[in-house]
Amino acid sequence: MRCGVVLLVAVLSLGTGAAESLSETANDQIQENFDINQFLGTWFALATGCNCSWFNQYKEVMTITKVVLSTSEESNTFIGTFQYDRNGTCIHHVGRYTKKDIAGHFVFNSTGAYAESADIRVIKINYQEYAFLLIHASKGADHSKSVSLYGRTRNLTKETTEEFKEFALRQGIPEDMILFLPEKGKY
Ligand SMILES: *[C@@H]1O[C@H](CO)[C@@H](O)[C@H](O)[C@H]1NC(C)=O
Ligand SMILES: *[C@@H]1O[C@H](CO)[C@@H](O)[C@H](O)[C@H]1NC(C)=O
Ligand SMILES: *[C@@H]1O[C@H](CO)[C@@H](O)[C@H](O)[C@H]1NC(C)=O
Ligand SMILES: *[C@@H]1O[C@H](CO)[C@@H](O)[C@H](O)[C@H]1NC(C)=O
């Protein structure tokens, strides 16, 4: 189920618990006045980019992921459910995000065997249309940086997709590691 993990990391936006200093992303600060309530609901993860060593290997099987974000019983956390098609099989994951001090900054710790954690920042959001996420993920000694484009629908404007691509490049993601995901199955 490596692929599922990979997608979870790449698409959801998992980052590292050991957060990089904010100055490293000085050009891309967390969205001002971020409002978690407006962030909740259904999104589609439409594009992703990562400097991960495994990325090329999984490019072919990655597809659009449906993401549903909802509140949890604990006020400092929220829940994400992820559904996507992987090679004809529907994959379903649930994860929990913990809010950090700055609104728009989260930590994701996966459960079970994955031993994966992620530091996630919402860099830019238009709650009705799109969100740009910056993710630092870690698994053991392995660190990666990824970006993710969420859309409220599967169809964003060209301006938005171009802007996302620029954002990814600015974050040092190589162009051939930026992937606009195909739609497959019902997700
Ligand atoms: C996808 O499914 C095909 C046919 O069942 C199989 O040959 C292939 O190895 C699978 N690929 C992955 C990445 O699971
Ligand atoms: C996530 O896991 C890391 C490593 O085990 C731990 O240091 C951190 O406190 C955890 N964070 C949360 C929010 O559970
Ligand atoms: C990806 O970026 C992260 C964060 O900048 C860095 O720690 C990691 O070494 C990079 N990985 C590769 C394969 O370049
Ligand atoms: C997506 O948007 C483009 C341009 O905004 C439009 O031409 C196209 O018909 C739309 N596709 C769907 C499926 O809505």
Side-chain angles (χ1 to χ4, degrees), residues 135-161:
I135 302 134
H136 290 90
S138 61
K139 182 168 190 171
D142 207 17
H143 294 277
S144 66
K145 177 192 261 191
S146 58
V147 293
S148 190
L149 172 64
Y150 279 20
R152 284 296 189 188
T153 68
R154 294 177 182 78
N155 199 11
L156 297 179
T157 64
K158 195 163 183 348
E159 287 75 19
T160 301
T161 55

Side-chain angles (χ1 to χ4, degrees), residues 3 60-61 63 84-91 184-187:
C3 175
E60 302 300 317
V61 294
T63 59
Y84 53 89
D85 178 282
R86 205 251 353 228
N87 213 14
T89 303
C90 171
I91 309 288
K184 263 193 207 147
K186 54 186 163 147
Y187 309 112

Side-chain angles (χ1 to χ4, degrees), residues 107-168:
V107 176
F108 180 92
N109 272 21
S110 70
T111 52
Y114 303 139
E116 194 75 63
S117 78
D119 173 290
I120 300 156
R121 293 177 196 148
V122 179
I123 302 301
K124 184 165 186 186
I125 186 165
N126 167 331
Y127 301 94
Q128 287 78 42
E129 289 179 44
Y130 61 82
F132 295 179
L133 277 59
L134 176 62
I135 302 134
H136 290 90
S138 61
K139 182 168 190 171
D142 207 17
H143 294 277
S144 66
K145 177 192 261 191
S146 58
V147 293
S148 190
L149 172 64
Y150 279 20
R152 284 296 189 188
T153 68
R154 294 177 182 78
N155 199 11
L156 297 179
T157 64
K158 195 163 183 348
E159 287 75 19
T160 301
T161 55
E162 284 299 319
E163 192 182 344
F164 173 75
K165 195 170 172 185
E166 283 163 24
F167 160 63

Side-chain angles (χ1 to χ4, degrees), residues 26 36 42 50 56 59 96 118 124 159 169-170 173 177:
I36 180 74
T42 300
C50 190
N56 283 319
K59 260 182 171 176
R96 184 181 294 267
K124 184 165 186 186
E159 287 75 19
L169 292 170
R170 198 159 62 231
I173 309 292
M177 305 278 261

